[in-house]
Amino acid sequence: MKKIRKEYYFIAILLMLFILLTIFVINGKVDIIDEGFFNNVIKLKGNGITKFLYVITNLASTAGIFALLGITSVIFLKHKAFSDFKYVIANVSIGVVLMQVLKNIIKRVRPSWKWIVQGGFSYPSGHTISALLLYGTLMLLVYKKVHGKFRKPLLICFSLMIILTGLSRIYFGAHYLTDVVASLILGSIILIISNMFMNKEFNNDKNKDRKTIQAK
Protein backbone atom coordinates (compact mmCIF):
# COMPACT_ATOMS: atom_id res chain seq x y z
CA MET A 1 0.00 0.00 0.00
CA LYS A 2 1.38 3.38 -1.03
CA LYS A 3 2.15 5.68 1.91
CA ILE A 4 0.22 8.97 1.92
CA ARG A 5 2.51 12.00 2.10
CA LYS A 6 2.22 14.07 5.27
CA GLU A 7 1.64 17.19 3.16
CA TYR A 8 -1.71 15.80 2.05
CA TYR A 9 -2.81 15.48 5.68
CA PHE A 10 -1.89 19.11 6.35
CA ILE A 11 -3.74 20.24 3.24
CA ALA A 12 -6.85 18.26 4.23
CA ILE A 13 -6.80 19.67 7.79
CA LEU A 14 -6.35 23.26 6.57
CA LEU A 15 -9.10 22.83 3.99
CA MET A 16 -11.51 21.56 6.65
CA LEU A 17 -10.59 24.50 8.90
CA PHE A 18 -11.32 26.93 6.09
CA ILE A 19 -14.69 25.32 5.35
CA LEU A 20 -15.67 25.41 9.04
CA LEU A 21 -14.54 29.01 9.41
CA THR A 22 -16.49 30.01 6.30
CA ILE A 23 -19.64 28.36 7.65
CA PHE A 24 -19.24 30.23 10.95
CA VAL A 25 -18.68 33.51 9.10
CA ILE A 26 -21.74 33.09 6.88
CA ASN A 27 -23.89 32.30 9.92
CA GLY A 28 -22.54 35.20 11.99
CA LYS A 29 -21.04 32.96 14.66
CA VAL A 30 -17.74 34.86 14.82
CA ASP A 31 -19.00 38.46 14.83
CA ILE A 32 -18.29 38.93 18.55
CA ILE A 33 -14.74 37.62 18.14
CA ASP A 34 -14.10 39.88 15.15
CA GLU A 35 -15.39 42.99 16.87
CA GLY A 36 -13.60 42.23 20.12
CA PHE A 37 -10.28 41.71 18.34
CA PHE A 38 -10.64 44.97 16.41
CA ASN A 39 -11.44 46.86 19.63
CA ASN A 40 -8.18 45.61 21.13
CA VAL A 41 -6.06 46.25 18.04
CA ILE A 42 -7.33 49.82 17.64
CA LYS A 43 -6.03 50.62 21.13
CA LEU A 44 -2.59 50.71 19.49
CA LYS A 45 -3.71 53.68 17.39
CA GLY A 46 -1.20 56.49 17.09
CA ASN A 47 0.35 58.67 14.38
CA GLY A 48 3.58 56.67 14.21
CA ILE A 49 2.03 53.23 14.01
CA THR A 50 -0.67 54.46 11.61
CA LYS A 51 1.90 55.79 9.14
CA PHE A 52 3.99 52.63 9.47
CA LEU A 53 1.09 50.23 8.95
CA TYR A 54 -0.24 52.37 6.09
CA VAL A 55 3.02 51.73 4.22
CA ILE A 56 2.82 48.00 5.03
CA THR A 57 -0.78 47.68 3.86
CA ASN A 58 -0.08 49.58 0.64
CA LEU A 59 2.81 47.27 -0.18
CA ALA A 60 0.21 44.48 -0.36
CA SER A 61 -2.12 46.45 -2.64
CA THR A 62 -2.26 45.69 -6.37
CA ALA A 63 0.20 48.48 -7.17
CA GLY A 64 2.43 47.50 -4.26
CA ILE A 65 2.56 43.83 -5.23
CA PHE A 66 3.39 44.72 -8.85
CA ALA A 67 6.20 46.98 -7.64
CA LEU A 68 7.60 44.31 -5.32
CA LEU A 69 7.38 41.69 -8.07
CA GLY A 70 9.32 44.01 -10.35
CA ILE A 71 12.04 44.55 -7.77
CA THR A 72 12.33 40.87 -6.88
CA SER A 73 12.42 39.84 -10.56
CA VAL A 74 15.49 42.04 -11.04
CA ILE A 75 17.15 40.43 -8.00
CA PHE A 76 16.41 36.92 -9.29
CA LEU A 77 17.72 37.86 -12.73
CA LYS A 78 20.90 39.35 -11.25
CA HIS A 79 21.59 36.12 -9.35
CA LYS A 80 20.81 33.96 -12.40
CA ALA A 81 17.87 32.33 -10.65
CA PHE A 82 15.05 33.75 -12.75
CA SER A 83 13.64 30.25 -13.39
CA ASP A 84 12.78 30.08 -9.66
CA PHE A 85 10.80 33.31 -9.96
CA LYS A 86 7.99 31.39 -11.69
CA TYR A 87 6.90 30.11 -8.28
CA VAL A 88 6.45 33.65 -6.99
CA ILE A 89 4.41 34.68 -10.04
CA ALA A 90 2.31 31.50 -10.04
CA ASN A 91 1.49 31.59 -6.33
CA VAL A 92 0.56 35.27 -6.22
CA SER A 93 -1.57 34.93 -9.38
CA ILE A 94 -3.42 31.89 -8.02
CA GLY A 95 -4.06 33.71 -4.74
CA VAL A 96 -5.47 36.81 -6.46
CA VAL A 97 -7.83 34.80 -8.68
CA LEU A 98 -8.94 32.59 -5.79
CA MET A 99 -9.71 35.62 -3.61
CA GLN A 100 -11.84 37.26 -6.26
CA VAL A 101 -13.86 34.10 -6.81
CA LEU A 102 -14.45 33.52 -3.09
CA LYS A 103 -15.23 37.17 -2.37
CA ASN A 104 -17.96 37.21 -5.02
CA ILE A 105 -19.41 33.91 -3.82
CA ILE A 106 -19.50 34.73 -0.10
CA LYS A 107 -20.12 38.49 -0.48
CA ARG A 108 -19.31 39.48 3.09
CA VAL A 109 -19.70 43.21 3.66
CA ARG A 110 -16.64 45.02 5.00
CA PRO A 111 -16.59 46.11 8.66
CA SER A 112 -18.74 49.13 9.49
CA TRP A 113 -15.86 50.56 11.53
CA LYS A 114 -13.42 50.81 8.58
CA TRP A 115 -11.52 54.11 8.46
CA ILE A 116 -9.84 53.82 5.06
CA VAL A 117 -11.59 53.82 1.68
CA GLN A 118 -11.85 50.23 0.49
CA GLY A 119 -14.29 48.82 -2.05
CA GLY A 120 -15.35 45.25 -2.75
CA PHE A 121 -16.19 42.44 -0.38
CA SER A 122 -14.39 41.47 2.79
CA TYR A 123 -13.94 37.68 2.99
CA PRO A 124 -11.20 36.54 2.56
CA SER A 125 -8.53 39.26 2.69
CA GLY A 126 -6.86 39.83 -0.69
CA HIS A 127 -4.04 41.93 0.74
CA THR A 128 -3.21 39.25 3.31
CA ILE A 129 -3.05 36.33 0.89
CA SER A 130 -1.03 38.39 -1.61
CA ALA A 131 1.49 39.22 1.11
CA LEU A 132 1.58 35.63 2.37
CA LEU A 133 2.13 34.17 -1.09
CA LEU A 134 4.72 36.75 -2.10
CA TYR A 135 6.77 36.78 1.09
CA GLY A 136 6.02 33.13 1.86
CA THR A 137 7.26 31.92 -1.52
CA LEU A 138 10.38 34.04 -1.12
CA MET A 139 10.88 32.43 2.29
CA LEU A 140 10.74 28.96 0.75
CA LEU A 141 13.25 29.93 -1.92
CA VAL A 142 15.57 31.60 0.57
CA TYR A 143 15.40 28.55 2.85
CA LYS A 144 16.31 26.23 -0.01
CA LYS A 145 18.76 28.35 -1.98
CA VAL A 146 20.36 30.98 0.27
CA HIS A 147 23.12 30.13 2.72
CA GLY A 148 25.18 32.37 4.94
CA LYS A 149 24.56 35.41 7.11
CA PHE A 150 21.66 36.84 5.07
CA ARG A 151 19.47 33.76 5.31
CA LYS A 152 18.07 34.19 8.83
CA PRO A 153 17.48 37.98 8.60
CA LEU A 154 15.60 37.51 5.32
CA LEU A 155 13.38 34.78 6.79
CA ILE A 156 12.60 36.95 9.83
CA CYS A 157 11.89 40.01 7.66
CA PHE A 158 9.51 38.15 5.36
CA SER A 159 7.72 36.57 8.34
CA LEU A 160 7.20 39.97 9.94
CA MET A 161 5.84 41.43 6.69
CA ILE A 162 3.20 38.69 6.54
CA ILE A 163 2.13 39.26 10.16
CA LEU A 164 2.14 43.04 9.87
CA THR A 165 0.12 43.01 6.64
CA GLY A 166 -2.64 40.97 8.26
CA LEU A 167 -2.54 43.20 11.35
CA SER A 168 -2.71 46.35 9.22
CA ARG A 169 -5.88 45.18 7.49
CA ILE A 170 -7.59 44.75 10.85
CA TYR A 171 -6.08 47.94 12.28
CA PHE A 172 -7.56 50.06 9.47
CA GLY A 173 -10.89 48.28 9.73
CA ALA A 174 -10.67 47.04 6.14
CA HIS A 175 -11.05 43.42 7.27
CA TYR A 176 -12.24 41.29 10.13
CA LEU A 177 -9.86 38.99 12.00
CA THR A 178 -11.55 35.99 10.37
CA ASP A 179 -10.97 37.45 6.89
CA VAL A 180 -7.25 37.50 7.63
CA VAL A 181 -7.23 34.03 9.20
CA ALA A 182 -9.09 32.60 6.18
CA SER A 183 -6.48 34.06 3.84
CA LEU A 184 -3.63 32.67 5.95
CA ILE A 185 -5.21 29.21 5.80
CA LEU A 186 -5.75 29.28 2.03
CA GLY A 187 -2.34 30.79 1.39
CA SER A 188 -0.70 28.09 3.50
CA ILE A 189 -2.37 25.39 1.38
CA ILE A 190 -0.99 26.98 -1.79
CA LEU A 191 2.49 27.25 -0.24
CA ILE A 192 2.46 23.59 0.83
CA ILE A 193 1.55 22.51 -2.70
CA SER A 194 4.15 24.87 -4.16
CA ASN A 195 6.79 23.49 -1.79
CA MET A 196 6.08 19.98 -3.05
CA PHE A 197 6.71 21.08 -6.64
CA MET A 198 9.86 22.95 -5.57
CA ASN A 199 11.28 19.91 -3.78
CA LYS A 200 10.64 17.73 -6.80
CA GLU A 201 12.27 20.19 -9.21
CA PHE A 202 15.26 20.99 -7.02
CA ASN A 203 15.91 17.31 -6.23
CA ASN A 204 15.81 16.51 -9.94
CA ASP A 205 18.29 19.32 -10.59
CA LYS A 206 20.63 17.95 -7.92
CA ASN A 207 20.43 14.46 -9.41
CA LYS A 208 21.24 15.84 -12.86
CA ASP A 209 24.24 17.71 -11.44
CA ARG A 210 25.50 14.52 -9.78
CA LYS A 211 25.16 12.54 -13.00
CA THR A 212 26.97 15.28 -14.93
CA ILE A 213 29.86 15.25 -12.44
CA GLN A 214 30.07 11.43 -12.52
CA ALA A 215 30.04 11.47 -16.33
CA LYS A 216 33.00 13.83 -16.36
Side-chain angles (χ1 to χ4, degrees), residues 9 13 15 20 25 54 57 62 77 104 138 144 175 198:
Y9 288 113
I13 291 170
L15 192 56
L20 284 172
V25 166
Y54 191 70
T57 203
T62 301
L77 188 62
N104 285 290
L138 291 175
K144 296 174 187 300
H175 284 287
M198 283 184 192

Side-chain angles (χ1 to χ4, degrees), residues 107-127:
K107 295 183 177 180
R108 188 185 197 186
V109 178
R110 290 189 185 273
S112 59
W113 54 74
K114 64 179 181 293
W115 52 297
I116 61 172
V117 178
Q118 189 75 62
F121 296 112
S122 184
Y123 183 92
S125 168
H127 281 62

Side-chain angles (χ1 to χ4, degrees), residues 35-78:
E35 186 172 353
F37 192 83
F38 171 77
N39 288 336
N40 282 296
V41 168
I42 203 62
K43 290 177 182 178
L44 301 171
K45 189 175 179 180
N47 288 334
I49 194 168
T50 297
K51 290 177 181 177
F52 174 69
L53 290 180
Y54 191 70
V55 172
I56 297 294
T57 203
N58 277 317
L59 284 174
S61 67
T62 301
I65 291 295
F66 271 114
L68 290 173
L69 287 174
I71 294 169
T72 51
S73 68
V74 172
I75 295 172
F76 274 84
L77 188 62
K78 182 179 179 181

Side-chain angles (χ1 to χ4, degrees), residues 34-180:
D34 283 328
E35 186 172 353
F37 192 83
F38 171 77
N39 288 336
N40 282 296
V41 168
I42 203 62
K43 290 177 182 178
L44 301 171
K45 189 175 179 180
N47 288 334
I49 194 168
T50 297
K51 290 177 181 177
F52 174 69
L53 290 180
Y54 191 70
V55 172
I56 297 294
T57 203
N58 277 317
L59 284 174
S61 67
T62 301
I65 291 295
F66 271 114
L68 290 173
L69 287 174
I71 294 169
T72 51
S73 68
V74 172
I75 295 172
F76 274 84
L77 188 62
K78 182 179 179 181
H79 289 85
K80 299 178 180 179
F82 197 71
S83 62
D84 296 335
F85 190 63
K86 64 179 178 288
Y87 289 106
V88 181
I89 294 292
N91 288 348
V92 172
S93 299
I94 291 169
V96 169
V97 173
L98 184 60
M99 286 302 98
Q100 290 305 312
V101 171
L102 290 172
K103 280 175 180 288
N104 285 290
I105 290 174
I106 299 167
K107 295 183 177 180
R108 188 185 197 186
V109 178
R110 290 189 185 273
S112 59
W113 54 74
K114 64 179 181 293
W115 52 297
I116 61 172
V117 178
Q118 189 75 62
F121 296 112
S122 184
Y123 183 92
S125 168
H127 281 62
T128 302
I129 199 169
S130 294
L132 174 61
L133 292 175
L134 173 59
Y135 302 124
T137 307
L138 291 175
M139 286 177 69
L140 289 175
L141 291 170
V142 166
Y143 185 79
K144 296 174 187 300
K145 298 273 189 163
V146 177
H147 302 283
K149 62 181 180 179
F150 293 111
R151 188 188 195 191
K152 190 172 181 180
L154 283 171
L155 293 174
I156 293 173
C157 178
F158 292 144
S159 298
L160 287 174
M161 289 302 292
I162 293 169
I163 295 169
L164 289 171
T165 300
L167 181 64
S168 73
R169 303 310 289 160
I170 300 168
Y171 179 83
F172 289 114
H175 284 287
Y176 299 98
L177 168 66
T178 44
D179 297 339
V180 171

Side-chain angles (χ1 to χ4, degrees), residues 5-21:
R5 295 180 60 168
K6 62 181 180 181
E7 289 91 344
Y8 295 137
Y9 288 113
F10 288 130
I11 291 170
I13 291 170
L14 289 171
L15 192 56
M16 285 189 288
L17 285 174
F18 175 75
I19 292 172
L20 284 172
L21 179 61

